[in-house]
Coordinates of all heavy atoms in Angstrom, one line a residue:
G8 N 35.4 -56.6 28.2 CA 34.4 -56.0 29.1 C 33.6 -55.0 28.4 O 33.8 -54.6 27.2
V9 N 32.6 -54.5 29.1 CA 31.7 -53.5 28.6 C 32.3 -52.1 28.8 O 32.7 -51.8 29.9 CB 30.3 -53.6 29.3 CG1 29.4 -52.6 28.8 CG2 29.7 -55.0 29.0
S10 N 32.4 -51.4 27.8 CA 33.0 -50.0 27.9 C 32.4 -49.2 26.7 O 31.8 -49.7 25.8 CB 34.5 -50.1 27.8 OG 34.9 -50.5 26.5
P11 N 32.7 -47.9 26.7 CA 32.3 -47.1 25.5 C 33.0 -47.6 24.2 O 32.3 -47.6 23.2 CB 32.8 -45.7 25.9 CG 32.8 -45.7 27.4 CD 33.2 -47.1 27.8
Q12 N 34.2 -48.1 24.3 CA 34.9 -48.7 23.2 C 34.2 -49.9 22.7 O 34.1 -50.1 21.5 CB 36.3 -49.0 23.5 CG 37.2 -47.7 23.7 CD 37.1 -47.3 25.2 OE1 36.5 -47.9 26.0 NE2 37.7 -46.1 25.4
S13 N 33.7 -50.8 23.6 CA 33.0 -52.0 23.1 C 31.6 -51.6 22.5 O 31.1 -52.3 21.6 CB 32.9 -53.0 24.3 OG 32.0 -52.5 25.3
D14 N 31.0 -50.6 23.1 CA 29.8 -50.1 22.5 C 30.0 -49.6 21.1 O 29.2 -49.9 20.2 CB 29.2 -48.9 23.3 CG 28.7 -49.3 24.7 OD1 28.5 -50.5 24.9 OD2 28.4 -48.4 25.5
M15 N 31.1 -48.9 20.8 CA 31.4 -48.5 19.4 C 31.6 -49.7 18.5 O 31.2 -49.7 17.3 CB 32.6 -47.5 19.4 CG 32.3 -46.2 20.0 SD 30.8 -45.4 19.4 CE 31.2 -45.1 17.7
F16 N 32.3 -50.7 19.0 CA 32.4 -52.0 18.2 C 31.1 -52.5 17.8 O 30.8 -52.9 16.7 CB 33.2 -53.0 19.0 CG 33.6 -54.2 18.2 CD1 34.7 -54.2 17.4 CD2 32.8 -55.3 18.2 CE1 35.1 -55.4 16.6 CE2 33.1 -56.5 17.4 CZ 34.2 -56.5 16.7
S17 N 30.1 -52.5 18.8 CA 28.8 -53.0 18.5 C 28.1 -52.1 17.5 O 27.3 -52.6 16.7 CB 28.0 -53.0 19.8 OG 28.6 -53.9 20.7
V18 N 28.3 -50.8 17.6 CA 27.7 -49.9 16.6 C 28.2 -50.3 15.2 O 27.4 -50.3 14.3 CB 28.0 -48.4 17.0 CG1 27.6 -47.5 15.8 CG2 27.2 -48.0 18.2
G19 N 29.5 -50.5 15.1 CA 30.0 -50.9 13.8 C 29.4 -52.2 13.3 O 29.1 -52.3 12.1
C20 N 29.2 -53.2 14.2 CA 28.6 -54.4 13.8 C 27.2 -54.2 13.3 O 26.7 -54.8 12.3 CB 28.7 -55.4 14.9 SG 30.4 -56.0 15.3
L21 N 26.4 -53.4 14.0 CA 25.1 -53.1 13.6 C 25.0 -52.4 12.3 O 24.1 -52.8 11.5 CB 24.4 -52.3 14.7 CG 24.0 -53.0 16.0 CD1 23.6 -52.1 17.1 CD2 23.0 -54.1 15.8
M22 N 25.8 -51.4 12.1 CA 25.8 -50.7 10.8 C 26.2 -51.7 9.7 O 25.6 -51.6 8.6 CB 26.9 -49.6 10.8 CG 26.4 -48.4 11.6 SD 27.5 -46.9 11.4 CE 29.0 -47.5 12.0
F23 N 27.1 -52.6 9.9 CA 27.5 -53.6 8.9 C 26.3 -54.4 8.6 O 26.0 -54.6 7.4 CB 28.7 -54.4 9.5 CG 29.2 -55.4 8.5 CD1 30.4 -55.1 7.8 CD2 28.6 -56.6 8.2 CE1 31.0 -56.0 6.9 CE2 29.1 -57.5 7.3 CZ 30.3 -57.2 6.6
A24 N 25.6 -54.9 9.6 CA 24.5 -55.8 9.4 C 23.4 -55.1 8.6 O 22.8 -55.7 7.7 CB 24.0 -56.4 10.7
V25 N 23.1 -53.9 8.9 CA 22.1 -53.1 8.2 C 22.5 -52.9 6.8 O 21.7 -53.0 5.8 CB 21.8 -51.8 9.0 CG1 20.9 -50.9 8.1 CG2 21.1 -52.1 10.3
A26 N 23.7 -52.5 6.6 CA 24.2 -52.1 5.2 C 24.4 -53.3 4.3 O 24.0 -53.2 3.1 CB 25.5 -51.4 5.3
F27 N 24.8 -54.4 4.9 CA 25.2 -55.6 4.0 C 24.2 -56.8 4.2 O 24.4 -57.8 3.5 CB 26.6 -56.0 4.3 CG 27.6 -54.9 3.9 CD1 28.3 -54.3 4.9 CD2 27.8 -54.6 2.6 CE1 29.2 -53.2 4.6 CE2 28.7 -53.6 2.3 CZ 29.4 -52.9 3.3
G28 N 23.3 -56.7 5.1 CA 22.3 -57.8 5.2 C 22.8 -59.1 5.8 O 22.2 -60.1 5.7
R29 N 24.0 -59.0 6.5 CA 24.5 -60.2 7.2 C 25.4 -59.7 8.3 O 25.8 -58.6 8.4 CB 25.3 -61.1 6.2 CG 26.6 -60.4 5.7 CD 27.4 -61.5 4.9 NE 28.6 -61.0 4.4 CZ 29.7 -60.9 5.0 NH1 29.8 -61.3 6.3 NH2 30.8 -60.4 4.5
D30 N 25.7 -60.6 9.2 CA 26.6 -60.3 10.3 C 28.0 -60.2 9.8 O 28.4 -60.9 8.9 CB 26.6 -61.5 11.4 CG 25.3 -61.6 12.1 OD1 24.5 -60.6 12.1 OD2 24.9 -62.7 12.6
P31 N 28.8 -59.3 10.4 CA 30.2 -59.2 10.0 C 31.1 -60.4 10.3 O 32.1 -60.6 9.7 CB 30.7 -57.9 10.7 CG 29.8 -57.7 11.9 CD 28.5 -58.4 11.5
F32 N 30.7 -61.1 11.3 CA 31.5 -62.3 11.7 C 30.6 -63.5 11.8 O 30.4 -64.1 12.8 CB 32.1 -62.0 13.1 CG 33.0 -60.8 13.2 CD1 32.5 -59.6 13.6 CD2 34.3 -60.9 12.7 CE1 33.3 -58.5 13.7 CE2 35.1 -59.7 12.7 CZ 34.6 -58.5 13.2
Q33 N 30.1 -63.9 10.6 CA 29.2 -65.0 10.5 C 29.9 -66.3 11.0 O 31.0 -66.6 10.6 CB 28.7 -65.2 9.1 CG 27.7 -64.2 8.7 CD 27.2 -64.4 7.3 OE1 27.9 -64.7 6.4 NE2 25.9 -64.3 7.2
A34 N 29.1 -67.1 11.8 CA 29.6 -68.4 12.3 C 28.4 -69.2 12.8 O 27.3 -68.7 12.9 CB 30.6 -68.2 13.5
D35 N 28.7 -70.5 13.0 CA 27.6 -71.4 13.4 C 27.3 -71.4 14.9 O 26.2 -71.7 15.3 CB 27.9 -72.8 12.9 CG 27.9 -72.9 11.4 OD1 27.2 -72.2 10.7 OD2 28.7 -73.7 10.9
T36 N 28.3 -71.0 15.7 CA 28.1 -71.1 17.1 C 28.6 -69.8 17.7 O 29.4 -69.1 17.2 CB 28.9 -72.2 17.8 OG1 30.3 -72.0 17.6 CG2 28.5 -73.6 17.1
P37 N 28.1 -69.5 18.9 CA 28.7 -68.3 19.6 C 30.2 -68.3 19.9 O 30.9 -67.3 19.8 CB 27.9 -68.2 21.0 CG 26.7 -69.0 20.7 CD 27.0 -70.0 19.7
Q38 N 30.7 -69.5 20.1 CA 32.1 -69.7 20.3 C 32.9 -69.4 19.0 O 34.0 -68.7 19.1 CB 32.5 -71.1 20.8 CG 31.9 -71.4 22.2 CD 30.4 -71.8 22.2 OE1 29.8 -72.0 21.1 NE2 29.8 -71.9 23.3
E39 N 32.4 -69.8 17.9 CA 33.1 -69.5 16.6 C 33.0 -68.0 16.3 O 33.9 -67.5 15.8 CB 32.4 -70.3 15.5 CG 32.7 -71.8 15.5 CD 32.0 -72.6 14.4 OE1 31.3 -72.0 13.6 OE2 32.1 -73.8 14.4
T40 N 31.9 -67.4 16.7 CA 31.7 -66.0 16.5 C 32.8 -65.2 17.3 O 33.4 -64.3 16.8 CB 30.3 -65.5 16.8 OG1 29.3 -66.2 16.0 CG2 30.1 -64.0 16.6
T41 N 32.9 -65.6 18.5 CA 33.9 -65.0 19.4 C 35.3 -65.1 18.8 O 36.1 -64.2 18.8 CB 33.9 -65.5 20.8 OG1 32.6 -65.3 21.3 CG2 34.9 -64.9 21.7
Q42 N 35.6 -66.3 18.3 CA 37.0 -66.6 17.7 C 37.2 -65.7 16.5 O 38.2 -65.1 16.3 CB 37.1 -68.0 17.3 CG 37.3 -68.9 18.5 CD 37.5 -70.4 18.1 OE1 36.8 -70.9 17.2 NE2 38.4 -71.1 18.7
K43 N 36.1 -65.5 15.7 CA 36.3 -64.7 14.5 C 36.4 -63.2 14.9 O 37.2 -62.5 14.2 CB 35.1 -64.9 13.6 CG 35.1 -66.1 12.8 CD 34.0 -66.1 11.7 CE 34.1 -67.3 10.8 NZ 33.2 -67.2 9.7
I44 N 35.7 -62.8 15.9 CA 35.8 -61.4 16.3 C 37.3 -61.1 16.8 O 37.8 -60.1 16.4 CB 34.8 -61.1 17.4 CG1 33.4 -61.0 16.9 CG2 35.2 -59.8 18.1 CD1 32.3 -61.0 17.9
L45 N 37.8 -62.1 17.5 CA 39.2 -61.9 18.0 C 40.3 -62.0 17.0 O 41.3 -61.3 17.0 CB 39.4 -62.9 19.2 CG 38.6 -62.7 20.4 CD1 38.8 -63.8 21.4 CD2 38.9 -61.3 21.1
A46 N 40.1 -62.9 16.0 CA 41.1 -63.2 15.1 C 41.0 -62.7 13.6 O 42.0 -62.6 12.9 CB 41.3 -64.7 15.0
C47 N 39.8 -62.3 13.2 CA 39.6 -62.0 11.8 C 39.1 -60.5 11.7 O 38.5 -60.0 12.5 CB 38.5 -62.9 11.2 SG 38.9 -64.6 11.3
K48 N 39.4 -60.0 10.5 CA 38.8 -58.7 10.1 C 37.5 -59.0 9.3 O 37.4 -60.0 8.6 CB 39.7 -57.9 9.2 CG 41.0 -57.5 9.9 CD 41.8 -56.7 8.9 CE 43.0 -56.1 9.6 NZ 43.9 -55.3 8.8
P49 N 36.5 -58.2 9.5 CA 35.3 -58.4 8.7 C 35.5 -58.3 7.2 O 36.3 -57.4 6.8 CB 34.3 -57.3 9.2 CG 35.2 -56.3 9.8 CD 36.4 -56.9 10.3
Q50 N 34.9 -59.1 6.4 CA 35.0 -59.0 5.0 C 33.9 -58.2 4.4 O 32.7 -58.6 4.6 CB 35.0 -60.5 4.4 CG 36.2 -61.3 4.9 CD 37.5 -60.7 4.5 OE1 37.7 -60.4 3.3 NE2 38.4 -60.6 5.5
F51 N 34.2 -57.1 3.8 CA 33.2 -56.2 3.2 C 32.8 -56.8 1.9 O 33.7 -56.9 1.0 CB 33.7 -54.8 3.2 CG 33.8 -54.2 4.5 CD1 34.9 -54.3 5.3 CD2 32.7 -53.4 5.0 CE1 35.0 -53.8 6.6 CE2 32.8 -52.8 6.3 CZ 33.9 -53.0 7.1
P52 N 31.5 -57.0 1.6 CA 31.1 -57.6 0.3 C 31.4 -56.6 -0.8 O 31.3 -55.4 -0.6 CB 29.6 -57.7 0.5 CG 29.3 -57.7 1.9 CD 30.4 -56.9 2.6
Q53 N 31.8 -57.1 -1.9 CA 32.1 -56.3 -3.1 C 30.7 -56.1 -3.9 O 29.8 -56.8 -3.6 CB 33.0 -57.0 -4.0 CG 34.4 -57.3 -3.4 CD 35.1 -56.0 -2.9 OE1 35.2 -55.0 -3.7 NE2 35.6 -56.0 -1.7
G54 N 30.7 -55.1 -4.7 CA 29.5 -54.9 -5.6 C 28.4 -54.1 -4.8 O 27.3 -54.3 -5.2
K55 N 28.8 -53.4 -3.8 CA 27.8 -52.6 -3.1 C 28.1 -51.1 -3.4 O 28.1 -50.3 -2.5 CB 27.9 -52.9 -1.6 CG 27.5 -54.3 -1.3 CD 26.1 -54.6 -1.4 CE 25.7 -55.9 -0.9 NZ 24.3 -56.2 -0.9
A56 N 28.2 -50.7 -4.6 CA 28.6 -49.4 -5.0 C 27.6 -48.3 -4.6 O 27.9 -47.2 -4.4 CB 28.8 -49.3 -6.5
H57 N 26.3 -48.8 -4.4 CA 25.3 -47.8 -4.0 C 25.4 -47.4 -2.5 O 24.8 -46.4 -2.1 CB 23.9 -48.5 -4.2 CG 23.6 -49.6 -3.3 ND1 24.1 -50.9 -3.5 CD2 22.9 -49.7 -2.1 CE1 23.8 -51.7 -2.5 NE2 23.0 -51.0 -1.7
L58 N 26.3 -48.1 -1.8 CA 26.5 -47.6 -0.4 C 27.6 -46.5 -0.4 O 28.6 -46.6 -1.1 CB 27.1 -48.8 0.4 CG 26.1 -49.9 0.7 CD1 26.7 -51.1 1.4 CD2 24.9 -49.4 1.5
A59 N 27.3 -45.6 0.4 CA 28.2 -44.4 0.6 C 29.5 -44.9 1.2 O 29.5 -45.8 2.1 CB 27.6 -43.4 1.5
H60 N 30.6 -44.4 0.7 CA 31.9 -44.7 1.3 C 31.9 -44.4 2.8 O 32.6 -45.1 3.6 CB 33.0 -43.8 0.6 CG 34.3 -43.9 1.3 ND1 35.1 -45.0 1.1 CD2 35.0 -43.1 2.1 CE1 36.2 -44.9 1.8 NE2 36.2 -43.7 2.4
A61 N 31.1 -43.5 3.3 CA 31.1 -43.2 4.7 C 30.6 -44.3 5.5 O 31.0 -44.5 6.7 CB 30.2 -41.9 4.9
V62 N 29.7 -45.2 4.9 CA 29.2 -46.3 5.7 C 30.3 -47.3 5.9 O 30.5 -47.8 7.1 CB 28.0 -47.0 4.9 CG1 27.6 -48.3 5.5 CG2 26.8 -46.1 4.7
V63 N 31.1 -47.6 4.9 CA 32.2 -48.6 5.0 C 33.2 -48.0 6.0 O 33.7 -48.7 6.9 CB 32.8 -48.9 3.6 CG1 34.0 -49.8 3.8 CG2 31.7 -49.6 2.8
A64 N 33.6 -46.7 5.8 CA 34.6 -46.1 6.7 C 34.1 -46.1 8.1 O 34.9 -46.4 9.0 CB 34.8 -44.7 6.2
A65 N 32.9 -45.8 8.4 CA 32.4 -45.8 9.8 C 32.4 -47.2 10.4 O 32.8 -47.4 11.5 CB 30.9 -45.2 9.8
C66 N 32.0 -48.2 9.6 CA 32.0 -49.6 10.1 C 33.5 -50.0 10.4 O 33.7 -50.5 11.5 CB 31.5 -50.5 9.0 SG 29.7 -50.5 8.8
R67 N 34.4 -49.7 9.5 CA 35.8 -50.1 9.7 C 36.4 -49.4 10.9 O 37.1 -50.0 11.8 CB 36.6 -49.7 8.5 CG 36.6 -50.7 7.4 CD 37.8 -50.6 6.5 NE 37.7 -51.7 5.6 CZ 37.4 -51.6 4.3 NH1 37.0 -50.5 3.8 NH2 37.4 -52.7 3.5
N68 N 36.1 -48.1 11.1 CA 36.6 -47.4 12.2 C 36.0 -47.9 13.6 O 36.8 -48.1 14.5 CB 36.3 -45.9 12.1 CG 37.1 -45.2 11.1 OD1 38.3 -45.6 10.9 ND2 36.6 -44.2 10.4
C69 N 34.8 -48.2 13.6 CA 34.1 -48.7 14.8 C 34.6 -50.1 15.2 O 34.6 -50.5 16.3 CB 32.6 -48.7 14.7 SG 31.9 -47.0 14.7
M70 N 35.0 -50.9 14.2 CA 35.3 -52.3 14.4 C 36.8 -52.5 14.5 O 37.3 -53.6 14.3 CB 34.7 -53.2 13.4 CG 33.2 -53.3 13.5 SD 32.4 -54.6 12.5 CE 32.6 -53.9 10.9
Q71 N 37.6 -51.5 14.8 CA 39.0 -51.6 14.9 C 39.3 -52.6 16.0 O 38.6 -52.7 17.1 CB 39.7 -50.3 15.4 CG 39.7 -49.2 14.3 CD 40.8 -49.4 13.3 OE1 41.8 -50.0 13.6 NE2 40.5 -48.9 12.1
K72 N 40.3 -53.5 15.8 CA 40.6 -54.5 16.9 C 41.1 -53.9 18.1 O 40.8 -54.3 19.2 CB 41.7 -55.5 16.3 CG 41.2 -56.4 15.2 CD 40.0 -57.3 15.6 CE 39.6 -58.1 14.5 NZ 38.3 -58.8 14.7
D73 N 41.9 -52.8 18.0 CA 42.4 -52.1 19.2 C 41.4 -51.1 19.7 O 41.1 -50.1 19.0 CB 43.7 -51.4 18.8 CG 44.3 -50.6 19.9 OD1 43.8 -50.6 21.0 OD2 45.4 -50.0 19.7
P74 N 40.8 -51.3 20.8 CA 39.8 -50.4 21.3 C 40.2 -48.9 21.4 O 39.4 -48.0 21.2 CB 39.5 -50.9 22.7 CG 39.9 -52.4 22.7 CD 41.1 -52.4 21.8
A75 N 41.5 -48.7 21.6 CA 42.0 -47.3 21.7 C 41.9 -46.6 20.4 O 41.9 -45.4 20.3 CB 43.4 -47.3 22.2
R76 N 41.8 -47.4 19.3 CA 41.7 -46.8 17.9 C 40.3 -46.5 17.5 O 40.1 -45.9 16.4 CB 42.5 -47.7 16.9 CG 44.0 -47.8 17.2 CD 44.7 -48.4 16.2 NE 44.6 -47.6 15.0 CZ 45.0 -48.0 13.8 NH1 45.6 -49.1 13.6 NH2 44.9 -47.2 12.7
R77 N 39.3 -47.0 18.2 CA 37.9 -46.8 17.9 C 37.5 -45.4 18.2 O 38.0 -44.8 19.2 CB 37.0 -47.8 18.6 CG 37.3 -49.2 18.2 CD 36.4 -50.2 19.0 NE 37.0 -51.5 18.9 CZ 36.9 -52.4 19.9 NH1 36.3 -52.1 21.0 NH2 37.5 -53.6 19.7
P78 N 36.7 -44.8 17.3 CA 36.2 -43.5 17.6 C 35.2 -43.4 18.8 O 34.7 -44.5 19.2 CB 35.5 -43.1 16.3 CG 35.0 -44.4 15.8 CD 36.0 -45.4 16.1
T79 N 35.1 -42.3 19.3 CA 34.0 -42.0 20.3 C 32.8 -41.5 19.6 O 32.9 -41.1 18.5 CB 34.5 -41.0 21.4 OG1 34.7 -39.8 20.7 CG2 35.7 -41.4 22.1
V80 N 31.6 -41.6 20.2 CA 30.4 -41.1 19.6 C 30.6 -39.6 19.4 O 30.3 -39.1 18.3 CB 29.2 -41.3 20.5 CG1 28.0 -40.6 20.0 CG2 28.9 -42.8 20.7
T81 N 31.2 -38.9 20.3 CA 31.4 -37.4 20.2 C 32.3 -37.2 19.0 O 32.1 -36.3 18.2 CB 32.0 -36.8 21.5 OG1 31.1 -37.1 22.5 CG2 32.2 -35.3 21.3
G82 N 33.4 -37.9 18.9 CA 34.3 -37.8 17.8 C 33.7 -38.0 16.5 O 34.0 -37.3 15.5
M83 N 32.9 -39.0 16.4 CA 32.2 -39.3 15.1 C 31.3 -38.2 14.7 O 31.2 -37.8 13.6 CB 31.5 -40.7 15.2 CG 32.4 -41.9 15.2 SD 31.5 -43.4 15.1 CE 31.2 -43.5 13.4
L84 N 30.5 -37.7 15.7 CA 29.6 -36.6 15.4 C 30.4 -35.3 15.0 O 30.0 -34.6 14.1 CB 28.7 -36.3 16.6 CG 27.7 -37.5 16.9 CD1 27.0 -37.2 18.2 CD2 26.7 -37.6 15.8
L85 N 31.4 -35.0 15.7 CA 32.2 -33.8 15.5 C 32.9 -33.9 14.1 O 33.0 -32.9 13.4 CB 33.2 -33.5 16.6 CG 32.6 -33.1 17.9 CD1 33.8 -33.0 18.9 CD2 31.9 -31.8 17.8
K86 N 33.4 -35.1 13.7 CA 34.1 -35.2 12.4 C 33.1 -35.5 11.3 O 33.5 -35.6 10.2 CB 35.1 -36.4 12.5 CG 36.2 -36.1 13.4 CD 37.2 -37.2 13.5 CE 38.3 -36.9 14.4 NZ 39.2 -38.1 14.5
G87 N 31.8 -35.6 11.6 CA 30.8 -35.8 10.6 C 30.9 -37.2 10.0 O 30.6 -37.4 8.8
M88 N 31.4 -38.2 10.8 CA 31.5 -39.5 10.2 C 30.2 -40.2 9.9 O 30.2 -41.1 9.1 CB 32.3 -40.4 11.2 CG 33.8 -39.9 11.3 SD 34.7 -40.9 12.5 CE 35.0 -42.4 11.5
F89 N 29.1 -39.7 10.4 CA 27.8 -40.2 10.0 C 27.2 -39.4 8.8 O 26.2 -39.9 8.3 CB 26.8 -40.1 11.2 CG 27.2 -41.1 12.3 CD1 27.4 -40.7 13.6 CD2 27.2 -42.5 12.1 CE1 27.7 -41.6 14.6 CE2 27.5 -43.4 13.1 CZ 27.8 -42.9 14.3
A90 N 27.8 -38.3 8.5 CA 27.3 -37.5 7.4 C 27.5 -38.3 6.1 O 28.5 -38.9 5.8 CB 28.1 -36.2 7.3
G91 N 26.4 -38.4 5.3 CA 26.4 -39.2 4.1 C 26.4 -40.7 4.3 O 26.4 -41.4 3.3
A92 N 26.2 -41.1 5.5 CA 26.2 -42.6 5.8 C 24.7 -43.1 5.7 O 24.6 -44.3 5.8 CB 26.7 -42.9 7.2
C93 N 23.8 -42.3 5.4 CA 22.4 -42.8 5.3 C 22.2 -43.5 4.0 O 22.6 -43.0 2.9 CB 21.4 -41.7 5.4 SG 21.4 -40.9 7.1
V94 N 21.6 -44.6 4.0 CA 21.3 -45.4 2.8 C 19.8 -45.4 2.6 O 19.1 -45.9 3.5 CB 21.8 -46.8 2.9 CG1 21.5 -47.6 1.6 CG2 23.3 -46.8 3.1
L95 N 19.3 -44.9 1.5 CA 17.8 -44.9 1.3 C 17.4 -45.9 0.3 O 18.1 -46.2 -0.6 CB 17.4 -43.5 0.9 CG 17.7 -42.4 2.0 CD1 17.2 -41.1 1.4 CD2 16.9 -42.7 3.2

């Protein structure tokens, strides 16, 4: 369902797409995408050394399979999880 935790999952997917230029759960159909979201972890491309570690960490934290383990927006801001995550 829709919740603050699902919003954080979406934030992680958006950050992943912006940082890596592709969807974190690439598939041919919406049904396959849903299956990948439920069953697979996103594969982070190698060779992206120019990306700050904070980007990968923020994506991973937001895309935790267990919604209770995902950060809140307030938590991310207070912990500075977005600090250094800008890619220019």
Side-chain angles (χ1 to χ4, degrees):
V9 177
S10 68
Q12 293 84 5
S13 66
D14 289 346
M15 290 309 296
F16 187 87
S17 297
V18 167
C20 291
L21 288 170
M22 286 191 297
F23 185 102
V25 170
F27 299 108
R29 67 173 180 83
D30 294 334
F32 302 99
Q33 287 184 312
D35 293 329
T36 67
Q38 294 80 11
E39 289 175 5
T40 301
T41 299
Q42 286 179 321
K43 283 189 171 188
I44 289 170
L45 295 173
C47 303
K48 291 183 179 181
Q50 298 299 310
F51 289 83
Q53 301 300 315
K55 298 286 186 176
H57 66 281
L58 290 175
H60 173 73
V62 172
V63 175
C66 288
R67 278 202 172 104
N68 286 329
C69 289
M70 290 190 290
Q71 291 282 334
K72 294 296 182 194
D73 180 358
R76 296 189 64 187
R77 294 179 199 147
T79 62
V80 172
T81 302
M83 288 185 81
L84 292 172
L85 289 176
K86 291 180 183 178
M88 292 179 79
F89 289 121
C93 295
V94 179
L95 300 176

